[in-house]
Short mmCIF file of all heavy atoms in Angstrom, two decimals:
data_model
loop_
_atom_site.label_atom_id
_atom_site.label_comp_id
_atom_site.label_asym_id
_atom_site.label_seq_id
_atom_site.Cartn_x
_atom_site.Cartn_y
_atom_site.Cartn_z
N ARG B 1459 -4.63 -11.73 25.80
CA ARG B 1459 -3.98 -11.38 27.07
C ARG B 1459 -2.49 -11.63 26.94
O ARG B 1459 -2.04 -12.73 26.64
CB ARG B 1459 -4.58 -12.18 28.21
CG ARG B 1459 -6.07 -11.94 28.38
CD ARG B 1459 -6.62 -12.60 29.63
NE ARG B 1459 -6.41 -14.04 29.63
CZ ARG B 1459 -6.80 -14.84 30.63
NH1 ARG B 1459 -7.39 -14.32 31.70
NH2 ARG B 1459 -6.60 -16.15 30.57
N LEU B 1460 -1.73 -10.58 27.20
CA LEU B 1460 -0.30 -10.58 26.87
C LEU B 1460 0.52 -10.12 28.07
O LEU B 1460 0.21 -9.10 28.68
CB LEU B 1460 -0.08 -9.62 25.69
CG LEU B 1460 1.31 -9.46 25.13
CD1 LEU B 1460 1.77 -10.74 24.46
CD2 LEU B 1460 1.33 -8.31 24.13
N VAL B 1461 1.57 -10.88 28.38
CA VAL B 1461 2.55 -10.47 29.39
C VAL B 1461 3.82 -10.08 28.65
O VAL B 1461 4.43 -10.91 27.97
CB VAL B 1461 2.85 -11.59 30.40
CG1 VAL B 1461 3.94 -11.15 31.38
CG2 VAL B 1461 1.58 -11.97 31.16
N VAL B 1462 4.20 -8.81 28.75
CA VAL B 1462 5.44 -8.31 28.14
C VAL B 1462 6.45 -8.13 29.27
O VAL B 1462 6.24 -7.33 30.18
CB VAL B 1462 5.20 -6.97 27.42
CG1 VAL B 1462 6.47 -6.52 26.71
CG2 VAL B 1462 4.04 -7.08 26.43
N PHE B 1463 7.56 -8.89 29.22
CA PHE B 1463 8.48 -8.88 30.35
C PHE B 1463 9.93 -8.78 29.88
O PHE B 1463 10.26 -9.07 28.73
CB PHE B 1463 8.30 -10.15 31.19
CG PHE B 1463 8.82 -11.40 30.54
CD1 PHE B 1463 10.12 -11.85 30.78
CD2 PHE B 1463 8.01 -12.15 29.68
CE1 PHE B 1463 10.61 -12.99 30.17
CE2 PHE B 1463 8.50 -13.30 29.07
CZ PHE B 1463 9.81 -13.72 29.31
N THR B 1464 10.78 -8.37 30.79
CA THR B 1464 12.22 -8.40 30.60
C THR B 1464 12.84 -9.22 31.72
O THR B 1464 12.19 -9.51 32.74
CB THR B 1464 12.82 -6.98 30.61
OG1 THR B 1464 12.43 -6.31 31.82
CG2 THR B 1464 12.35 -6.17 29.41
N ASP B 1465 14.10 -9.57 31.53
CA ASP B 1465 14.86 -10.27 32.56
C ASP B 1465 16.33 -9.87 32.40
O ASP B 1465 16.65 -9.06 31.52
CB ASP B 1465 14.63 -11.79 32.47
CG ASP B 1465 15.12 -12.41 31.17
OD1 ASP B 1465 16.02 -11.84 30.52
OD2 ASP B 1465 14.61 -13.47 30.78
N PRO B 1466 17.25 -10.39 33.22
CA PRO B 1466 18.65 -9.97 33.11
C PRO B 1466 19.30 -10.26 31.76
O PRO B 1466 20.34 -9.68 31.43
CB PRO B 1466 19.33 -10.75 34.23
CG PRO B 1466 18.26 -10.96 35.25
CD PRO B 1466 17.02 -11.19 34.46
N GLY B 1467 18.70 -11.15 30.96
CA GLY B 1467 19.24 -11.43 29.64
C GLY B 1467 18.76 -10.48 28.56
O GLY B 1467 19.27 -10.50 27.43
N SER B 1468 17.80 -9.60 28.89
CA SER B 1468 17.26 -8.67 27.89
C SER B 1468 18.34 -7.67 27.48
O SER B 1468 18.97 -7.03 28.32
CB SER B 1468 16.05 -7.93 28.45
OG SER B 1468 15.03 -8.85 28.82
N GLY B 1469 18.54 -7.52 26.18
CA GLY B 1469 19.56 -6.62 25.68
C GLY B 1469 20.86 -7.31 25.37
O GLY B 1469 21.75 -6.71 24.76
N THR B 1470 21.00 -8.56 25.78
CA THR B 1470 22.20 -9.33 25.46
C THR B 1470 21.80 -10.60 24.71
O THR B 1470 21.98 -10.70 23.50
CB THR B 1470 23.00 -9.68 26.73
OG1 THR B 1470 22.13 -10.32 27.68
CG2 THR B 1470 23.59 -8.41 27.36
N ASP B 1471 21.24 -11.57 25.41
CA ASP B 1471 20.86 -12.83 24.76
C ASP B 1471 19.49 -12.75 24.10
O ASP B 1471 19.18 -13.53 23.20
CB ASP B 1471 20.88 -13.97 25.78
CG ASP B 1471 20.98 -15.33 25.12
OD1 ASP B 1471 21.72 -15.43 24.12
OD2 ASP B 1471 20.33 -16.27 25.59
N THR B 1472 18.66 -11.85 24.57
CA THR B 1472 17.32 -11.64 24.03
C THR B 1472 17.11 -10.15 23.81
O THR B 1472 17.91 -9.33 24.29
CB THR B 1472 16.24 -12.21 24.98
OG1 THR B 1472 16.36 -11.58 26.26
CG2 THR B 1472 16.40 -13.72 25.14
N PRO B 1473 16.04 -9.73 23.11
CA PRO B 1473 15.89 -8.31 22.78
C PRO B 1473 15.73 -7.41 24.01
O PRO B 1473 15.11 -7.79 25.01
CB PRO B 1473 14.62 -8.27 21.93
CG PRO B 1473 14.49 -9.66 21.38
CD PRO B 1473 15.01 -10.55 22.44
N GLU B 1474 16.27 -6.21 23.91
CA GLU B 1474 16.14 -5.22 24.98
C GLU B 1474 14.68 -4.86 25.21
O GLU B 1474 14.28 -4.52 26.33
CB GLU B 1474 16.93 -3.97 24.62
CG GLU B 1474 16.92 -2.89 25.69
CD GLU B 1474 17.74 -1.69 25.29
OE1 GLU B 1474 18.23 -1.65 24.14
OE2 GLU B 1474 17.87 -0.76 26.11
N ILE B 1475 13.86 -4.95 24.15
CA ILE B 1475 12.44 -4.60 24.27
C ILE B 1475 11.61 -5.72 24.88
O ILE B 1475 10.39 -5.64 24.93
CB ILE B 1475 11.84 -4.20 22.91
CG1 ILE B 1475 11.96 -5.36 21.90
CG2 ILE B 1475 12.50 -2.93 22.39
CD1 ILE B 1475 11.26 -5.10 20.57
N GLY B 1476 12.26 -6.76 25.40
CA GLY B 1476 11.56 -7.80 26.11
C GLY B 1476 11.01 -8.89 25.21
O GLY B 1476 11.26 -8.93 23.99
N ARG B 1477 10.26 -9.78 25.83
CA ARG B 1477 9.62 -10.87 25.11
C ARG B 1477 8.18 -10.99 25.60
O ARG B 1477 7.79 -10.35 26.57
CB ARG B 1477 10.39 -12.18 25.33
CG ARG B 1477 11.76 -12.18 24.67
CD ARG B 1477 12.48 -13.51 24.85
NE ARG B 1477 12.83 -13.76 26.23
CZ ARG B 1477 13.08 -14.97 26.74
NH1 ARG B 1477 12.99 -16.04 25.98
NH2 ARG B 1477 13.42 -15.11 28.01
N TRP B 1478 7.43 -11.83 24.90
CA TRP B 1478 5.99 -11.94 25.17
C TRP B 1478 5.62 -13.35 25.61
O TRP B 1478 6.14 -14.35 25.09
CB TRP B 1478 5.19 -11.65 23.91
CG TRP B 1478 5.24 -10.23 23.41
CD1 TRP B 1478 5.90 -9.17 23.96
CD2 TRP B 1478 4.59 -9.73 22.24
NE1 TRP B 1478 5.70 -8.04 23.22
CE2 TRP B 1478 4.91 -8.36 22.15
CE3 TRP B 1478 3.79 -10.31 21.26
CZ2 TRP B 1478 4.43 -7.55 21.11
CZ3 TRP B 1478 3.32 -9.52 20.22
CH2 TRP B 1478 3.64 -8.15 20.15
N LEU B 1479 4.67 -13.40 26.53
CA LEU B 1479 3.98 -14.64 26.86
C LEU B 1479 2.50 -14.39 26.63
O LEU B 1479 1.90 -13.51 27.27
CB LEU B 1479 4.22 -15.04 28.32
CG LEU B 1479 3.41 -16.25 28.82
CD1 LEU B 1479 3.83 -17.52 28.07
CD2 LEU B 1479 3.56 -16.42 30.32
N ILE B 1480 1.91 -15.14 25.71
CA ILE B 1480 0.48 -15.03 25.44
C ILE B 1480 -0.24 -16.01 26.33
O ILE B 1480 0.05 -17.21 26.33
CB ILE B 1480 0.18 -15.30 23.95
CG1 ILE B 1480 0.89 -14.26 23.08
CG2 ILE B 1480 -1.32 -15.28 23.69
CD1 ILE B 1480 0.76 -14.50 21.59
N LEU B 1481 -1.19 -15.52 27.11
CA LEU B 1481 -1.89 -16.36 28.07
C LEU B 1481 -3.05 -17.10 27.42
O LEU B 1481 -3.73 -16.56 26.54
CB LEU B 1481 -2.42 -15.52 29.23
CG LEU B 1481 -1.39 -14.77 30.08
CD1 LEU B 1481 -2.09 -14.08 31.24
CD2 LEU B 1481 -0.32 -15.72 30.60
N PRO B 1482 -3.30 -18.32 27.85
CA PRO B 1482 -4.48 -19.04 27.37
C PRO B 1482 -5.73 -18.38 27.91
O PRO B 1482 -5.69 -17.67 28.93
CB PRO B 1482 -4.29 -20.44 27.94
CG PRO B 1482 -3.45 -20.25 29.16
CD PRO B 1482 -2.53 -19.11 28.84
N PRO B 1483 -6.88 -18.57 27.26
CA PRO B 1483 -8.11 -17.97 27.77
C PRO B 1483 -8.51 -18.58 29.10
O PRO B 1483 -8.15 -19.72 29.42
CB PRO B 1483 -9.14 -18.31 26.68
CG PRO B 1483 -8.58 -19.50 25.98
CD PRO B 1483 -7.10 -19.36 26.03
N GLY B 1484 -9.24 -17.81 29.89
CA GLY B 1484 -9.69 -18.29 31.20
C GLY B 1484 -10.04 -17.15 32.11
O GLY B 1484 -9.77 -15.98 31.83
N GLU B 1485 -10.66 -17.47 33.21
CA GLU B 1485 -11.06 -16.47 34.18
C GLU B 1485 -10.07 -16.49 35.35
O GLU B 1485 -8.96 -17.01 35.25
CB GLU B 1485 -12.48 -16.77 34.67
CG GLU B 1485 -13.51 -16.86 33.56
CD GLU B 1485 -13.64 -15.56 32.77
OE1 GLU B 1485 -13.45 -14.49 33.37
OE2 GLU B 1485 -13.93 -15.64 31.56
N ASP B 1486 -10.48 -15.90 36.49
CA ASP B 1486 -9.65 -15.94 37.69
C ASP B 1486 -9.31 -17.38 38.04
O ASP B 1486 -10.11 -18.30 37.84
CB ASP B 1486 -10.40 -15.31 38.87
CG ASP B 1486 -10.26 -13.79 38.88
OD1 ASP B 1486 -9.71 -13.25 37.91
OD2 ASP B 1486 -10.71 -13.18 39.86
N GLY B 1487 -8.12 -17.55 38.59
CA GLY B 1487 -7.76 -18.88 39.06
C GLY B 1487 -6.46 -19.36 38.47
O GLY B 1487 -5.68 -18.59 37.89
N THR B 1488 -6.21 -20.65 38.60
CA THR B 1488 -4.94 -21.24 38.19
C THR B 1488 -4.87 -21.42 36.68
O THR B 1488 -5.83 -21.85 36.05
CB THR B 1488 -4.75 -22.60 38.88
OG1 THR B 1488 -4.77 -22.41 40.30
CG2 THR B 1488 -3.42 -23.23 38.47
N LEU B 1489 -3.71 -21.06 36.13
CA LEU B 1489 -3.42 -21.25 34.72
C LEU B 1489 -2.15 -22.09 34.60
O LEU B 1489 -1.22 -21.94 35.39
CB LEU B 1489 -3.18 -19.91 34.01
CG LEU B 1489 -4.35 -18.97 33.75
CD1 LEU B 1489 -3.82 -17.71 33.09
CD2 LEU B 1489 -5.37 -19.63 32.87
N ARG B 1490 -2.10 -22.94 33.61
CA ARG B 1490 -0.86 -23.62 33.26
C ARG B 1490 -0.19 -22.81 32.15
O ARG B 1490 -0.78 -22.61 31.08
CB ARG B 1490 -1.16 -25.05 32.81
CG ARG B 1490 0.04 -25.83 32.29
CD ARG B 1490 1.12 -26.05 33.36
NE ARG B 1490 0.67 -26.76 34.53
CZ ARG B 1490 0.75 -28.09 34.68
NH1 ARG B 1490 1.23 -28.83 33.70
NH2 ARG B 1490 0.34 -28.65 35.80
N ILE B 1491 0.99 -22.29 32.41
CA ILE B 1491 1.71 -21.50 31.42
C ILE B 1491 2.96 -22.25 31.00
O ILE B 1491 3.57 -22.97 31.79
CB ILE B 1491 2.06 -20.10 31.94
CG1 ILE B 1491 2.98 -20.17 33.17
CG2 ILE B 1491 0.80 -19.29 32.25
CD1 ILE B 1491 3.51 -18.82 33.61
N ASP B 1492 3.33 -22.08 29.75
CA ASP B 1492 4.51 -22.75 29.20
C ASP B 1492 5.48 -21.70 28.69
O ASP B 1492 5.28 -21.11 27.62
CB ASP B 1492 4.09 -23.69 28.06
CG ASP B 1492 5.25 -24.54 27.55
OD1 ASP B 1492 6.39 -24.31 27.99
OD2 ASP B 1492 4.99 -25.43 26.73
N LEU B 1493 6.52 -21.45 29.47
CA LEU B 1493 7.48 -20.42 29.08
C LEU B 1493 8.37 -20.87 27.93
O LEU B 1493 9.11 -20.06 27.37
CB LEU B 1493 8.31 -20.01 30.29
CG LEU B 1493 7.52 -19.33 31.41
CD1 LEU B 1493 8.41 -18.99 32.59
CD2 LEU B 1493 6.81 -18.08 30.92
N ASN B 1494 8.30 -22.13 27.55
CA ASN B 1494 8.96 -22.56 26.32
C ASN B 1494 8.30 -21.93 25.09
O ASN B 1494 8.88 -21.95 24.00
CB ASN B 1494 8.89 -24.09 26.18
CG ASN B 1494 9.69 -24.80 27.25
OD1 ASN B 1494 10.92 -24.80 27.23
ND2 ASN B 1494 8.99 -25.41 28.21
N GLN B 1495 7.10 -21.36 25.28
CA GLN B 1495 6.40 -20.70 24.18
C GLN B 1495 6.46 -19.18 24.29
O GLN B 1495 5.66 -18.47 23.68
CB GLN B 1495 4.95 -21.19 24.12
CG GLN B 1495 4.84 -22.65 23.76
CD GLN B 1495 3.42 -23.11 23.53
OE1 GLN B 1495 2.47 -22.32 23.54
NE2 GLN B 1495 3.24 -24.40 23.32
N VAL B 1496 7.43 -18.67 25.03
CA VAL B 1496 7.69 -17.23 25.03
C VAL B 1496 8.18 -16.84 23.63
O VAL B 1496 9.01 -17.54 23.03
CB VAL B 1496 8.75 -16.89 26.09
CG1 VAL B 1496 9.36 -15.52 25.83
CG2 VAL B 1496 8.13 -16.93 27.49
N ILE B 1497 7.66 -15.74 23.10
CA ILE B 1497 7.98 -15.34 21.73
C ILE B 1497 8.62 -13.96 21.68
O ILE B 1497 8.56 -13.18 22.64
CB ILE B 1497 6.73 -15.36 20.82
CG1 ILE B 1497 5.70 -14.33 21.29
CG2 ILE B 1497 6.14 -16.75 20.77
CD1 ILE B 1497 4.50 -14.20 20.34
N LEU B 1498 9.25 -13.68 20.55
CA LEU B 1498 9.81 -12.36 20.29
C LEU B 1498 8.69 -11.40 19.88
O LEU B 1498 7.75 -11.80 19.18
CB LEU B 1498 10.84 -12.43 19.18
CG LEU B 1498 12.04 -13.35 19.42
CD1 LEU B 1498 12.91 -13.42 18.17
CD2 LEU B 1498 12.86 -12.86 20.60
N PRO B 1499 8.78 -10.12 20.27
CA PRO B 1499 7.77 -9.15 19.85
C PRO B 1499 7.75 -8.99 18.32
O PRO B 1499 8.77 -9.17 17.64
CB PRO B 1499 8.22 -7.85 20.52
CG PRO B 1499 9.09 -8.28 21.66
CD PRO B 1499 9.77 -9.54 21.19
N HIS B 1500 6.58 -8.64 17.79
CA HIS B 1500 6.46 -8.40 16.35
C HIS B 1500 7.49 -7.39 15.86
O HIS B 1500 7.99 -7.49 14.73
CB HIS B 1500 5.06 -7.88 16.00
CG HIS B 1500 3.94 -8.83 16.32
ND1 HIS B 1500 4.11 -10.19 16.40
CD2 HIS B 1500 2.62 -8.60 16.57
CE1 HIS B 1500 2.97 -10.77 16.68
NE2 HIS B 1500 2.04 -9.83 16.79
N HIS B 1501 7.80 -6.40 16.69
CA HIS B 1501 8.70 -5.31 16.29
C HIS B 1501 10.08 -5.83 15.93
O HIS B 1501 10.80 -5.19 15.15
CB HIS B 1501 8.79 -4.29 17.43
CG HIS B 1501 9.42 -2.99 17.04
ND1 HIS B 1501 8.71 -1.95 16.47
CD2 HIS B 1501 10.71 -2.55 17.13
CE1 HIS B 1501 9.51 -0.94 16.24
NE2 HIS B 1501 10.73 -1.27 16.62
N VAL B 1502 10.48 -6.96 16.49
CA VAL B 1502 11.79 -7.55 16.16
C VAL B 1502 11.85 -7.91 14.68
O VAL B 1502 12.91 -7.81 14.05
CB VAL B 1502 12.04 -8.79 17.03
CG1 VAL B 1502 13.26 -9.58 16.54
CG2 VAL B 1502 12.23 -8.39 18.49
N PHE B 1503 10.71 -8.29 14.10
CA PHE B 1503 10.67 -8.72 12.71
C PHE B 1503 10.22 -7.61 11.76
O PHE B 1503 10.47 -7.69 10.56
CB PHE B 1503 9.73 -9.92 12.57
CG PHE B 1503 10.16 -11.10 13.40
CD1 PHE B 1503 9.51 -11.39 14.60
CD2 PHE B 1503 11.21 -11.89 13.01
CE1 PHE B 1503 9.90 -12.47 15.37
CE2 PHE B 1503 11.62 -12.97 13.79
CZ PHE B 1503 10.97 -13.25 14.98
N SER B 1504 9.55 -6.59 12.28
CA SER B 1504 9.11 -5.48 11.44
C SER B 1504 8.86 -4.25 12.31
O SER B 1504 8.06 -4.30 13.23
CB SER B 1504 7.82 -5.83 10.69
OG SER B 1504 7.29 -4.68 10.04
N ALA B 1505 9.54 -3.16 11.96
CA ALA B 1505 9.36 -1.91 12.70
C ALA B 1505 7.98 -1.31 12.46
O ALA B 1505 7.62 -0.32 13.12
CB ALA B 1505 10.44 -0.90 12.29
N ALA B 1506 7.19 -1.90 11.55
CA ALA B 1506 5.84 -1.39 11.32
C ALA B 1506 4.94 -1.61 12.53
O ALA B 1506 3.93 -0.92 12.68
CB ALA B 1506 5.22 -2.07 10.09
N PHE B 1507 5.30 -2.57 13.39
CA PHE B 1507 4.44 -2.89 14.53
C PHE B 1507 4.80 -2.01 15.73
O PHE B 1507 5.93 -2.07 16.22
CB PHE B 1507 4.59 -4.37 14.91
CG PHE B 1507 4.00 -5.30 13.89
CD1 PHE B 1507 4.78 -5.82 12.87
CD2 PHE B 1507 2.66 -5.64 13.96
CE1 PHE B 1507 4.23 -6.68 11.93
CE2 PHE B 1507 2.10 -6.50 13.01
CZ PHE B 1507 2.89 -7.02 12.00
N PRO B 1508 3.85 -1.21 16.24
CA PRO B 1508 4.11 -0.32 17.38
C PRO B 1508 3.95 -1.06 18.70
O PRO B 1508 3.07 -0.77 19.51
CB PRO B 1508 3.05 0.77 17.21
CG PRO B 1508 1.88 0.03 16.61
CD PRO B 1508 2.47 -1.03 15.71
N CYS B 1509 4.80 -2.03 18.94
CA CYS B 1509 4.64 -2.92 20.09
C CYS B 1509 4.79 -2.17 21.42
O CYS B 1509 5.47 -1.14 21.49
CB CYS B 1509 5.66 -4.04 20.02
SG CYS B 1509 5.38 -5.18 18.65
#
Side-chain angles (χ1 to χ4, degrees):
R1459 300 187 301 180
L1460 181 68
V1461 176
V1462 184
F1463 72 93
T1464 54
D1465 63 24
S1468 300
T1470 53
D1471 200 39
T1472 58
E1474 183 179 5
I1475 60 174
R1477 292 182 293 159
W1478 292 359
L1479 174 65
I1480 298 175
L1481 298 184
E1485 304 299 328
D1486 276 7
T1488 301
L1489 288 178
R1490 175 63 59 92
I1491 61 172
D1492 187 353
L1493 295 178
N1494 294 287
Q1495 294 187 6
V1496 162
I1497 64 174
L1498 300 175
H1500 298 335
H1501 193 86
V1502 169
F1503 300 103
S1504 171
F1507 290 92
C1509 293

